Amino acid sequence: MTYKPDYLDDILVRMAYHSSGIEGNTISLPETVSIIIENSLPGNHKSIREFYEIENHKQAFNFLLDQLDVLPPLTVGLIQDFHALLTDRLQHDRGRFKTAQNAIIGAEFKTATPAETPYLMTQWADNTSYRLESAKSIPELLNVLADTHIQLERIHPFSDGNGRTGRLILMYLAMRYLKAPIIISKDDRAKYMELLANQDTAGLADLLKQSLDYEKERMNQF
């Protein structure tokens, strides 16, 4: 699938804005355009961390596009590479799995232990690849993407940056198997968090389909 350069810029800006915004980043969409497209730091913004959270999406997205050219197997190493690029200059343990137990604010379930994480992530990558390769229809693909996204969130393999990494992997897999990106809007944050908490695969698949339909229409506009 060949994407128009302007559309790729559009995806990157919206992905960086919405995914970071879901995690509480306060940088606006116009400011995101300044950072991503114009390589400038908005003068009225004081948080370097928020700037890097946005700016790091650029190198992570370029890496994503490189992977779409060669289509490597989905591996633990690839997931760690995505995380390392997204958390560059933000985490001392970027690209490495957690070494201490973590938790999700407000969640009632327990995330995987550090000892369990490497095995569970290898199992997750192998299982996700197998299910996506075996899927025969768009609804089936969306269901697999929703289910495995929920599983990844519950493993919570990194000390921080799990949400942004999970959504970037979701975008990568959507572009690989559905030939269009999926971007979860920050406007849907409450609904998205509820779907994750309730392990509502069908509900999340429906949310992903809404994004997929929107992106297919937007792709034609470019």
Side-chain angles (χ1 to χ4, degrees), residues 108-166:
E108 297 179 352
F109 62 88
K110 186 178 179 182
T111 63
T113 67
E116 294 171 330
T117 295
Y119 167 75
L120 289 176
M121 285 303 298
T122 299
Q123 186 181 56
W124 181 89
D126 292 344
N127 183 52
T128 298
S129 289
Y130 175 77
R131 293 176 66 189
L132 288 171
E133 293 290 345
S134 303
K136 300 293 193 294
S137 65
I138 289 177
E140 192 176 352
L141 284 166
L142 287 167
N143 189 73
V144 173
L145 289 175
D147 184 46
T148 55
H149 186 67
I150 290 169
Q151 290 175 23
L152 183 59
E153 180 68 9
R154 294 177 83 85
I155 296 171
H156 230 59
F158 302 103
S159 65
D160 196 16
N162 291 283
R164 280 168 286 141
T165 302

